[in-house]
Amino acid sequence: MAKDGYYTSGEFARKANVTLRTIRYYDKQGILKPSKVNEKGYRYYTDGDFAKLQKILSLKYLGFSLEEIMTMTINDQDQNFIRHSLDLQLDLVRKKIEHLNQVEKSLKETSKKLEENQEIDWEEMMGLLHVTNQEHSLVDQYKNASNLDVRIRLHKEYSMNSVRWFPWIFQEMDIKPGQKVLEIGCGTGQLWLENSGKIPKQTEIVLSDISGGMIEDAKKRFEKEEHPFQFQVFDCNQIPYKEKTFDLVVANHLLFYISDRKKALNEVKRVLKPGGMFLCSTYGKDHMKEITKLVQDFDSEIVLSEKNLYEEFGLENGKKELLPLFAWVEEKRYEDYLLVDQAEPIVDYILSCHGNQHEHLSRRYLEFKEFVRKRMESGPLRITKMAGVFKCYL
């Protein structure tokens, strides 16, 4: 090790027990850049780089691609990244263990049935194939859940309305004792966690999502809750319940993601009881507009979403789409804005979006973070929120 606290590439590789070729490859890919490059082009690493390498190798072992690893290590220059890194890896390892236990169980059951019947049941084999192939969906689900948590946290910590979004939504649902409620696209169930003490008795609540991983996470979060929730995995284009089953159906920030909304809305209408209500939330065109401007002032090629969600189904056009299906549609706005005085939550929010920001920020993370900090030197950043609900009645 050099006296100034730096390792050469070769020393770093030997100490980490990886090949020099691996270190050079990660450097070239921009996943693990050296901490210092001298005037002659020699590359040097520090002790802190071992933690970054460990995270990369751990994520690689857990099944993430190099592109995915890059997006999950982009902010590892921050001082507190080691703690966050270990928390992330622990959560992923637990999910990996659960998945492997499920694979083991399925293998044993399939093997036992094969021994008993002496014939291959191809339906059983298809089930085994499905379980074994869940690895990639596990990766996608974890990324989606993590990004969702980042966005929820920003609004929770910096919203100026004393009544937060989820309690406000709950008020608008106006649930009565004994009603049967369905939420489609529930994610990890945050709406109900924040309102668990307000749910009337004898209320039957079904939480559903197309992602089995999301539902598993939701189940764990509700283990200590007294209210007996039901959990279902299904596509809202095919709701597996009979006609006139629910008094209330909820879709929180979901409809703009659905390609065949007409089919989904007809399914919602089908399972609602006469006089029932469908409550769906969405954004307006000015929602978080300061975030978009901030990013594009830094790099005009960055877009935070592949499409403008409010154009798909927003406050400006949603009512027109709902009116042909329901007898009456009421629109209610949520009055709020964010006042953010720290750069990190803004940067984390931007990284959690569904656009091309990782492509443009992967090698400019520190530069971008400093750009955000300088913008906030004159005071907290005020961010517009434009969100609300449509309350649709049969």
Side-chain angles (χ1 to χ4, degrees), residues 50-102:
F50 286 113
K52 297 173 187 176
L53 176 61
Q54 186 274 329
K55 179 179 178 181
I56 292 166
L57 295 176
S58 177
L59 293 174
K60 187 171 180 289
Y61 167 74
L62 289 166
F64 289 87
S65 68
L66 288 180
E67 182 180 355
E68 290 165 338
I69 291 171
M70 179 175 286
T71 66
M72 298 175 73
T73 56
I74 190 172
N75 59 351
D76 283 356
Q77 295 93 330
D78 286 349
Q79 292 298 313
N80 62 350
F81 97 91
I82 294 179
R83 177 176 58 82
H84 290 154
S85 170
L86 294 175
D87 290 343
L88 176 145
Q89 291 176 61
L90 279 170
D91 200 6
L92 284 170
V93 166
R94 292 189 188 104
K95 285 181 167 57
K96 180 88 170 184
I97 290 171
E98 291 173 5
H99 177 250
L100 288 174
N101 285 336
Q102 189 177 2

Side-chain angles (χ1 to χ4, degrees), residues 67 70-72 74-75 143 147 150-151 291-292 294-296 298-307 346-365 368:
E67 182 180 355
M70 179 175 286
T71 66
M72 298 175 73
I74 190 172
N75 59 351
K143 288 190 298 180
N147 289 337
V150 166
R151 294 193 287 274
I291 296 284
T292 300
L294 181 69
V295 170
Q296 295 199 332
F298 179 76
D299 186 335
S300 61
E301 293 186 5
I302 296 178
V303 292
L304 297 181
S305 179
E306 293 180 359
K307 55 186 177 182
I346 297 290
V347 175
D348 287 345
Y349 176 89
I350 290 166
L351 294 177
S352 78
C353 294
H354 302 293
N356 65 356
Q357 69 276 7
H358 290 285
E359 175 186 340
H360 293 273
L361 297 178
S362 61
R363 291 172 174 82
R364 302 178 68 192
Y365 172 79
F368 177 63

Side-chain angles (χ1 to χ4, degrees), residues 7 11-13 15-16 32 46-55:
Y7 300 91
E11 290 168 335
F12 182 72
K15 196 171 180 68
L32 181 62
T46 65
D47 285 330
D49 293 320
F50 286 113
K52 297 173 187 176
L53 176 61
Q54 186 274 329
K55 179 179 178 181

Side-chain angles (χ1 to χ4, degrees), residues 291-354:
I291 296 284
T292 300
K293 185 178 186 307
L294 181 69
V295 170
Q296 295 199 332
D297 283 349
F298 179 76
D299 186 335
S300 61
E301 293 186 5
I302 296 178
V303 292
L304 297 181
S305 179
E306 293 180 359
K307 55 186 177 182
N308 293 322
L309 298 178
Y310 62 83
E311 291 179 356
E312 292 293 316
F313 181 88
L315 291 176
E316 294 80 11
N317 58 18
K319 190 172 185 178
K320 182 179 179 181
E321 189 168 334
L322 294 165
L323 277 172
L325 293 166
F326 297 92
W328 175 40
V329 178
E330 178 186 10
E331 178 185 340
K332 297 201 73 172
R333 298 287 181 102
Y334 176 66
E335 301 298 330
D336 194 16
Y337 64 93
L338 303 178
L339 203 60
V340 187
D341 58 0
Q342 300 290 324
E344 288 79 4
I346 297 290
V347 175
D348 287 345
Y349 176 89
I350 290 166
L351 294 177
S352 78
C353 294
H354 302 293

Side-chain angles (χ1 to χ4, degrees), residues 13-31:
R14 285 193 295 274
K15 196 171 180 68
N17 197 31
V18 298
T19 66
L20 179 57
R21 182 180 179 183
T22 296
I23 299 302
R24 287 174 174 167
Y25 180 70
Y26 288 154
D27 178 7
K28 184 178 179 181
Q29 296 299 315
I31 298 175

Side-chain angles (χ1 to χ4, degrees), residues 191-202:
L191 168 61
W192 304 96
L193 281 172
E194 290 200 24
N195 295 287
S196 60
K198 308 172 190 174
I199 300 171
K201 293 181 179 179
Q202 285 84 48

Side-chain angles (χ1 to χ4, degrees), residues 37 51 84 86 153 156 173 175 224 287 324 340:
V37 180
H84 290 154
L86 294 175
R153 189 161 58 247
K156 187 174 181 180
M173 291 192 298
I175 301 174
K224 297 181 181 179
H287 186 68
V340 187

